[in-house]
Amino acid sequence: MSKKVLITGASSGFGRGTAIELARRGHRVVATAEAWPLVRSLRTDAASAGVEIEVIKLNLLDDIDIEHAASFDPDVLMLNAGVMESGSILDIPLQRVRESFEINVFGHMALAQKIVPNMVARKAGKVVWTSSMGGILVIPFVGVYCATKHAIEGIAGAMRAELAPHGVKVATINPGVFGTGFNDTGAESHVQWYDQARAVVPMPDFSTSLADQYDPQEMIDAMVEVAVAGDHLYRTMRPLATIDTAKQWQESEWTQNA
């Protein structure tokens, strides 16, 4: 059965790939991009892929954009947009911290509060949050990003329990280190403010950790399945090897010293 799926952050990476593949499979896709040039680029990408996608502007810091996006009343809401800001907890400017939470967490909550009540009313629908492996474990020097994803884990878990009696499903997507460009951008983001001579905690070289990133198609395929499947796990983490890493981290939380 065809679904109407609204995906935030669809101008690149997982969102773009998922939007195009869902449209290819016959679903009605409303794909959002943060700025008008990105809207036009995504429309061009969809046309080149031979699929029909409705592309709209959605800046998650803009209440007007959120109201407009909510008017599409989707069957499936995929909360996928996000930013990553690097920097130690003691050095990163609080402006960057607040912006990360406003986009990754509060903007998506605002959108969900506009859209999900209609799902509750009809006792059908699905909300899919893009979390991260960083929502389960913590990666030093991208701690603010991990904090936003930990917040998403708490919100999604509560929503799942609250909405299950009303026929609305909630799930999380937890990507590992995939080569979408997102991690590379996040690793570079601190250069606008970072001063090595004044830093409390010097930034490391991220190049080694970014050298062998996974093919994002594995995560895109899983996201497409989660979007429209009737039954699936609450959490979908890829690559599969990352699942063991995450479980080992959770176990170590009970045994490691301060």
Side-chain angles (χ1 to χ4, degrees), residues 39-218:
V39 169
R40 292 191 290 272
S41 294
L42 183 53
R43 288 172 179 164
T44 299
D45 291 345
S48 297
V51 297
E52 188 172 320
I53 294 176
E54 186 152 10
V55 184
I56 63 171
K57 175 180 173 289
L58 173 58
N59 179 341
L60 286 163
L61 304 180
D62 187 322
D63 291 341
I64 294 172
D65 283 5
I66 288 174
E67 288 281 357
H68 179 244
S71 70
F72 287 87
D73 192 23
D75 302 306
V76 180
L77 174 60
M78 301 192 78
L79 301 170
N80 172 75
V83 295
M84 178 192 289
E85 293 285 347
S86 54
S88 79
I89 296 300
L90 293 183
D91 291 308
I92 188 169
L94 282 177
Q95 177 185 349
R96 292 290 192 257
V97 179
R98 293 187 178 102
E99 288 173 351
S100 294
F101 274 89
E102 288 290 347
I103 294 168
N104 295 2
V105 182
F106 302 136
H108 279 132
M109 277 190 68
L111 185 62
Q113 287 182 351
K114 295 290 184 181
I115 289 175
V116 179
N118 284 345
M119 296 181 182
V120 172
R122 61 179 175 259
K123 295 194 177 296
K126 184 185 296 185
V127 181
V128 182
W129 288 85
T130 297
S131 178
S132 170
M133 65 181 288
I136 305 298
L137 47 82
V138 176
I139 303 165
F141 298 98
V142 287
V144 167
Y145 172 74
C146 293
T148 67
K149 297 302 184 177
H150 275 65
I152 284 171
E153 290 289 336
I155 291 165
M159 286 182 72
R160 176 185 174 276
E162 292 163 0
L163 297 180
H166 303 282
V168 179
K169 296 180 183 295
V170 179
T172 69
I173 300 295
N174 295 73
V177 183
F178 286 97
T180 64
F182 181 80
N183 298 307
D184 306 80
T185 302
E188 186 180 354
S189 61
H190 65 276
V191 301
Q192 292 178 295
W193 57 263
Y194 180 69
D195 180 351
Q196 185 172 356
R198 301 174 64 180
V200 178
V201 184
M203 290 293 294
D205 180 359
F206 285 111
S207 59
T208 300
S209 60
L210 297 174
D212 297 310
Q213 299 182 66
Y214 291 92
D215 182 349
Q217 192 61 48
E218 180 182 4

